[in-house]
Amino acid sequence: MKKLLLFAIFQLSIFLLCPFSSSGQDIHFDLVPRPQDQTGTIILSMAQDNRGYLWLATTNGLYKYDGNQYTAYHSQALNPNSISNDFLECVAADKQGYIWIGYFHNTSGLDRLDPSTGIVTHFHHKENDSYSIASDSVSTIMQDHEGTIWIGTINGLDRFDSKTNRFYHYQHKENDPASLSCNSVRAIYEDKDGVLWVGTGSAWFDNLQKKGGLNKLDKKTGKFTTYLHNDSDPHSLIDNRIGAIFEDSHGNFWVGSAGDGLHKMDRKTGSFERLLYNPSHPDGLSRPPTGQAIQGGEDHITFITEDNKARLWIGTINGGINVYDPATKKSSWFGSGKNSKVKLGDNGYWRACKTKDGLLWISSWGFNLYKINPYKVNVPYTYIGTFVNHIAEDNSKTLWVGTNKGLVHLDSNGTTQKFLVDKDSSRQNNIIIFIEKDDSNRLWLATLHGLYYFDPGTNKILGYHPANGNANSFFQDIIYTIRKGKNNKLWLGTNKGLKLLDIKTGAVTQYQHDAKDSGSISNNIVFAIGNYEKEDLWVGTADGINRLNKQTGLFKRYPGKLTIQSLFEDSKKDLWVGTISGLFRYDRNADMFLPFIDQSGEISAFESIWWIAEDDHQNLWLNTFKGILRMNKDRYETVVFGINQGVNRLALANFGYTRQNGDVLFGDTAGYFTFNNRLLQIDTLRPRVTISSFLLNNIVVEPSTNGILSAPIERTDEMRLNHNQNTFSFGFSSVDFVSDHRRVLYMLQNYDNKWRLSNESREAYYFNLPPGNYVFKVKAYGANGGSD
């Protein structure tokens, strides 16, 4: 027999962008793709389980979502282990991993699903059993900090005893002020002190318009303190029909009701501050303006929640969403109207769920699911008006921008000045490819027609004219790059080789390719000049990397027919090379350049590396054809910034530059982007990879007493197979809601010689394996990087 040792390695942590302001403008509603069979259905409830999956209770079944794929659960008449009905009302996930499902309109009661086995336990009301659930119409489910499951029904509040499978009832009793104020339970909430609050009443049924109320339960005595509307008390509830309860991170306690019913409650005194909508100040703290009545009910607050920036979200069934920012003390409105900060397709919103990664999920009455990423930003962009080729910073820390139409100066106040090489701005002379500042604060400009410099004393661009009519005027040269040397010397990368200019004397030393001399430069087209290492200079050409010994004037050529686009020596003295075939790193011990492999696969998959920069946290920033990459060099992980960061042009950036303050700038066709590294946050949450299935000869293996699996595969560490059970497959998944670009890799250790990239189906197949001991591993990387 052979032994198969099975475990999962999860390697995914999330690097997130923080917004630069907290206004409504930085809130992004991303419409989440829905499964094909979900067309025209409403998501009535959401919950995240202890493995990270998001569960959606809809009007057409139950769904599990990992950020990439959906798993559907539907009612099957001949399968007692399927869910009771496809019209769900609510869903909750407990600490043990069970999924609780409530049904309201179809009176199907309560279900408990074990996702690891697929077994569903059904709970129904029985007239002759006082310990059965109070009603088969379930509206809400919640687990408190002690692990107790609470169920809201149309016939009161139930507490479930998991040891005995009994339900204990809390119901309204006439003439008992300590009983539940109303049996129609719509919201259950536990505050930070462990106190249970119950919202009752319904805005959907006319006969309950006056009924309801907020209730506080004393768990020891089973008695309630009730809070009701009082016509003569302006500090009572404005309406008894309570649909939302929430305590924010500052300890404020919010209660939402039907009508214009946003309240802030003082729990010590039991008084309520009514925060009414004021049309004269629509950006004040309130719910949105009340919408028109809807079929079967009226407008009401459906949820109150908070994002990771402490902004308060107030959703309504027909009035849109208000987002209140306590920092600015203003609200922003979101909906389908013209005043919405972001134009949406809905005004009716039903449920909100905040997942552990800080994302908000909001379902609408218009069949949509929105994902709100509080970290997603529109990368700050400075518009120049023409193609930006390079940027430099002077001694005053102001920016100089080399463009296709001259040199642009941006002072600290944002004022711009333009300086032209040629008065005719359309002339190619004005295309400034590169800028280098010398020790005298002069800016040296590389152009398509020679070398120029900007004199800050005269505010003029001057052509470089060597002394005594030296023929080395560079006027016929295309200069691609400039690197400042010692003693008033400049290294120039041109279309006619590498040149060393002595600014003071005008003397020029030329290094050109000689087919008969192996010690000459490998190609005359020099795109990049690297930083220094001792007495040597790194030179990148159209035909490989060269190392110049400045004492002997001889070049060492490194093998590889690569077009070198950038050379960069980082703060640790490691040399990085950007080519049209990916990223390379210099190995000092081997004296050779090796393709760089990150933890998630070949970084060369990002194709051409145009430019390399480094921020003040020693992260590398790579400009590629497919977007901007930030790489943590210690962990060899990458973060992708591209078109999904809200700026569609970002993938077209053409160079990178690091300012003295650590900001990294990337230019494009009309301006430049600024990445402020100090505002980047690392989220240490590590969602787990799950091995979800094991198939033998393409047949799913279910747990059994004497079978291959004695427990569900996700709880199995080891299994043994016979010699002829050597064709099998694994199914696995990775939960990642932040990334639009993700990779999942797997390996069967002792068989695979490298990690394999998973396809979208997240399955790994193995055929006719020889006997042996194997370890199956899975690791996942999102667009936002990986972990140790």
Side-chain angles (χ1 to χ4, degrees):
M1 291 195 304
K2 63 182 179 181
K3 177 182 179 183
L4 180 63
L5 185 62
L6 174 66
F7 62 92
I9 302 176
F10 184 72
Q11 297 191 330
L12 174 61
S13 66
I14 301 174
F15 287 77
L16 302 170
L17 277 176
C18 280
F20 289 84
S21 67
S22 54
S23 69
Q25 298 296 336
D26 67 2
I27 294 176
H28 303 264
F29 286 76
D30 293 329
L31 193 61
V32 179
R34 301 280 293 279
Q36 292 182 353
D37 63 349
Q38 273 283 292
T39 304
T41 61
I42 302 172
I43 297 172
L44 295 178
S45 182
M46 293 173 280
Q48 187 178 31
D49 67 16
N50 55 13
R51 297 177 300 166
Y53 292 106
L54 185 66
W55 292 82
L56 310 175
T58 81
T59 55
N60 186 33
L62 176 69
Y63 291 84
K64 181 178 71 173
Y65 184 51
D66 66 5
N68 181 55
Q69 293 180 327
Y70 289 92
T71 302
Y73 297 80
H74 290 291
S75 177
Q76 303 170 36
L78 300 179
N79 182 3
N81 283 323
S82 67
I83 62 176
S84 295
N85 200 291
D86 277 350
F87 198 122
L88 286 67
E89 177 71 17
C90 53
V91 64
D94 69 20
K95 298 174 183 178
Q96 291 72 38
Y98 291 114
I99 306 301
W100 295 81
I101 307 154
Y103 307 88
F104 188 84
H105 298 278
N106 43 50
T107 64
S108 294
L110 179 72
D111 283 349
R112 183 182 64 196
L113 166 66
D114 184 345
S116 63
T117 63
I119 295 176
V120 177
T121 303
H122 307 285
F123 301 95
H124 295 284
H125 173 70
K126 299 176 182 177
E127 290 292 340
N128 57 353
D129 183 358
S130 61
Y131 291 110
S132 67
I133 192 168
S135 171
D136 281 336
S137 290
V138 176
S139 55
T140 186
I141 307 166
M142 192 275 292
Q143 184 180 40
D144 66 20
H145 75 283
E146 298 173 323
T148 302
I149 301 294
W150 297 87
I151 301 101
T153 78
I154 202 171
N155 194 29
L157 175 71
D158 274 7
R159 172 173 58 85
F160 178 72
D161 187 326
S162 59
K163 295 181 180 179
T164 63
N165 278 1
R166 289 182 170 183
F167 294 85
Y168 293 89
H169 313 304
Y170 301 80
Q171 295 172 318
H172 174 71
K173 298 176 182 178
E174 294 294 335
N175 302 319
D176 183 359
S179 68
L180 190 69
S181 63
C182 175
N183 279 336
S184 177
V185 176
R186 299 298 300 182
I188 309 172
Y189 188 83
E190 184 183 33
D191 67 19
K192 292 181 177 65
D193 294 328
V195 177
L196 199 74
W197 297 83
V198 183
T200 66
S202 174
W204 293 101
F205 306 104
D206 292 339
N207 63 331
L208 295 177
Q209 281 186 1
K210 301 298 181 182
K211 297 180 181 180
L214 180 67
N215 300 260
K216 180 174 70 173
L217 174 63
D218 185 326
K219 294 180 183 178
K220 293 181 179 179
T221 65
K223 297 183 180 298
F224 291 91
T225 302
T226 60
Y227 304 87
L228 298 168
H229 169 73
N230 184 338
D231 287 339
S232 61
D233 184 1
H235 295 289
S236 67
L237 290 168
I238 199 169
D239 193 293
N240 284 327
R241 295 164 291 175
I242 308 300
I245 309 168
F246 181 72
E247 182 180 13
D248 68 23
S249 57
H250 299 290
N252 299 311
F253 197 71
W254 305 90
V255 180
S257 74
D260 192 3
L262 179 64
H263 309 79
K264 185 161 72 170
M265 180 183 182
D266 185 330
R267 283 167 285 180
K268 293 181 180 179
T269 64
S271 65
F272 296 85
E273 179 184 0
R274 300 175 181 177
L275 299 159
L276 304 180
Y277 176 76
N278 184 348
S280 300
H281 298 284
D283 59 354
L285 174 56
S286 72
R287 60 148 287 159
T290 51
Q292 296 179 347
I294 55 178
Q295 186 177 3
E298 63 180 86
D299 195 9
H300 57 280
I301 294 175
T302 52
F303 65 80
I304 304 172
T305 191
E306 184 182 47
D307 65 21
N308 276 15
K309 297 198 68 178
R311 294 177 294 204
L312 197 68
W313 292 66
I314 304 134
T316 67
I317 193 58
N318 206 31
I321 299 172
N322 258 10
V323 180
Y324 177 74
D325 188 343
T328 62
K329 300 188 185 319
K330 290 185 177 182
S331 291
S332 300
W333 181 75
F334 297 91
S336 62
K338 62 181 181 179
N339 295 325
S340 177
K341 294 292 185 180
V342 177
K343 190 66 175 294
L344 302 176
D346 306 280
N347 271 340
Y349 300 90
W350 186 241
R351 285 292 176 260
C353 176
K354 183 179 176 181
T355 45
K356 297 173 184 177
D357 50 20
L359 272 63
L360 283 181
W361 304 76
I362 296 177
S363 64
S364 79
W365 210 244
F367 317 119
N368 290 320
L369 175 62
Y370 296 98
K371 179 177 68 175
I372 297 93
N373 183 351
Y375 307 103
K376 185 174 181 180
V377 300
N378 285 324
V379 179
Y381 184 74
T382 301
Y383 180 76
I384 300 297
T386 185
F387 205 103
V388 171
N389 297 306
H390 199 236
I391 293 179
E393 197 169 8
D394 62 20
N395 292 345
S396 301
K397 298 182 180 181
T398 63
L399 293 180
W400 294 83
V401 184
T403 77
N404 276 10
K405 294 185 178 181
L407 182 68
V408 176
H409 180 224
L410 286 81
D411 65 20
S412 56
N413 297 320
T415 304
T416 62
Q417 284 180 289
K418 182 182 288 187
F419 302 91
L420 297 176
V421 175
D422 192 300
K423 292 182 180 181
D424 183 354
S425 61
S426 65
R427 295 283 300 273
Q428 285 192 342
N429 301 47
N430 288 309
I431 298 177
I432 297 173
I433 302 173
F434 197 95
I435 308 172
E436 180 80 340
K437 181 179 71 69
D438 68 15
D439 294 333
S440 301
N441 205 31
R442 283 183 297 184
L443 301 176
W444 291 86
L445 312 177
T447 78
L448 295 177
H449 295 279
L451 180 66
Y452 292 81
Y453 66 92
F454 177 81
D455 187 341
T458 63
N459 275 354
K460 291 182 179 181
I461 294 177
L462 303 173
Y464 178 73
H465 300 285
N468 302 320
N470 191 312
N472 296 310
S473 66
F474 307 109
F475 285 160
Q476 302 302 314
D477 293 355
I478 298 175
I479 299 179
Y480 297 109
T481 187
I482 307 171
R483 183 70 63 182
K484 182 179 68 173
K486 297 178 180 179
N487 302 321
N488 288 310
K489 293 182 179 181
L490 295 179
W491 291 94
L492 308 176
T494 79
N495 64 331
K496 296 179 181 179
L498 176 69
K499 300 186 180 184
L500 177 62
L501 167 66
D502 188 321
I503 303 172
K504 190 173 183 179
T505 66
V508 175
T509 304
Q510 300 196 51
Y511 302 86
Q512 292 185 315
H513 173 67
D514 184 346
K516 298 179 181 180
D517 183 2
S518 62
S520 68
I521 194 168
S522 62
N523 192 282
N524 281 333
I525 298 177
V526 178
F527 289 128
I529 302 174
N531 294 24
Y532 305 101
E533 183 179 295
K534 297 181 180 178
E535 295 300 319
D536 294 345
L537 186 74
W538 293 102
V539 182
T541 75
D543 189 18
I545 304 169
N546 297 255
R547 185 173 184 172
L548 170 65
N549 184 315
K550 289 181 283 185
Q551 290 184 338
T552 66
L554 298 178
F555 290 84
K556 178 178 179 178
R557 303 176 186 177
Y558 286 80
K561 298 292 183 179
L562 296 172
T563 298
I564 310 303
Q565 297 174 144
S566 57
L567 292 168
F568 182 79
E569 190 176 54
D570 66 19
S571 55
K572 295 183 178 180
K573 302 301 180 181
D574 285 329
L575 184 65
W576 301 85
V577 181
T579 79
I580 61 172
S581 300
L583 182 67
F584 287 74
R585 186 179 187 180
Y586 178 61
D587 185 324
R588 280 188 174 84
N589 295 327
D591 190 24
M592 61 187 303
F593 289 87
L594 301 174
F596 179 73
I597 309 295
D598 69 357
Q599 291 287 341
S600 60
E602 295 185 7
I603 201 170
S604 59
F606 290 95
E607 298 178 354
S608 188
I609 309 293
W610 293 96
W611 207 272
I612 306 171
E614 185 180 36
D615 63 27
D616 54 354
H617 288 239
Q618 297 185 342
N619 296 307
L620 281 189
W621 289 75
L622 311 174
N623 176 11
T624 80
F625 180 73
K626 295 183 178 179
I628 306 302
L629 276 70
R630 188 190 68 185
M631 186 179 74
N632 183 309
K633 293 178 291 184
D634 294 330
R635 293 197 294 267
Y636 296 161
E637 63 190 17
T638 54
V639 182
V640 178
F641 301 98
I643 58 174
N644 294 317
Q645 292 297 332
V647 183
N648 291 332
R649 293 194 304 272
L650 192 53
L652 299 177
N654 63 297
F655 85 98
Y657 175 77
T658 305
R659 296 196 66 176
Q660 297 176 46
N661 64 6
D663 289 356
V664 179
L665 312 180
F666 287 97
D668 80 338
T669 57
Y672 64 88
F673 303 94
T674 302
F675 289 89
N676 187 322
N677 191 65
R678 293 172 302 286
L679 295 180
L680 298 178
Q681 289 184 344
I682 297 176
D683 190 300
T684 57
L685 179 70
R686 298 185 180 184
R688 297 183 302 170
V689 163
T690 299
I691 299 176
S692 54
S693 63
F694 176 70
L695 288 77
L696 192 61
N697 294 320
N698 216 30
I699 299 175
V700 176
V701 177
E702 301 289 355
S704 61
T705 304
N706 298 315
I708 296 172
L709 294 176
S710 58
I713 186 67
E714 62 191 57
R715 297 204 296 264
T716 298
D717 295 323
E718 177 181 309
M719 61 183 175
R720 298 173 183 269
L721 300 175
N722 293 323
H723 71 280
N724 58 348
Q725 295 174 319
N726 59 355
T727 296
F728 52 81
S729 63
F730 294 97
F732 46 88
S733 63
S734 133
V735 180
D736 180 7
F737 299 131
V738 175
S739 304
D740 294 303
H741 173 83
R742 70 200 75 200
R743 282 170 288 177
V744 180
L745 297 94
Y746 66 90
M747 170 190 285
L748 189 60
Q749 191 172 309
N750 298 330
Y751 180 77
D752 292 323
N753 56 14
K754 66 177 182 178
W755 289 95
R756 299 187 182 190
L757 182 63
S758 170
N759 56 23
E760 288 297 319
S761 63
R762 302 291 189 254
E763 295 171 329
Y765 293 89
Y766 293 94
F767 304 93
N768 300 319
L769 261 70
N773 297 327
Y774 301 96
V775 179
F776 184 64
K777 300 179 180 180
V778 182
K779 60 182 180 180
Y781 291 85
N784 294 327
S787 66
D788 297 326

